[in-house]
Amino acid sequence: MFTTGQLIFALFFLVAFVAIIFISYKRDKKLHLRHYKGSGRVLIGFILFLVILLLLKSWVKH
């Protein structure tokens, strides 16, 4: 399937990718908190909207 070299490369790539993403998020955390202050409520509203649509779909179907 995969050679040993490919598996080692994939492992190093995964570790490096996760580390870079973590460092980038840590660096931008203050900026995200300032600019995306109400995004949690928007996400909850969107999920609630989808649940209502699914409930209406199942209610109309029967």
Side-chain angles (χ1 to χ4, degrees), residues 1-59:
M1 284 177 61
F2 294 108
T3 65
T4 306
Q6 288 175 326
L7 292 174
I8 291 171
F9 174 78
L11 181 66
F12 280 123
F13 181 83
L14 180 66
V15 169
F17 183 77
V18 170
I20 290 170
I21 294 296
F22 181 75
I23 291 168
S24 295
Y25 177 77
K26 198 90 158 139
R27 189 177 296 162
D28 292 339
K29 188 175 182 179
K30 290 180 185 177
L31 186 66
H32 289 167
L33 289 174
R34 185 173 58 217
H35 288 292
Y36 303 113
K37 192 179 267 187
S39 62
R41 284 183 266 158
V42 172
L43 177 64
I44 291 172
F46 183 71
I47 291 171
L48 185 64
F49 176 73
L50 288 176
V51 168
I52 290 171
L53 280 178
L54 290 172
L55 289 173
L56 284 173
K57 181 183 174 189
S58 66
W59 180 67

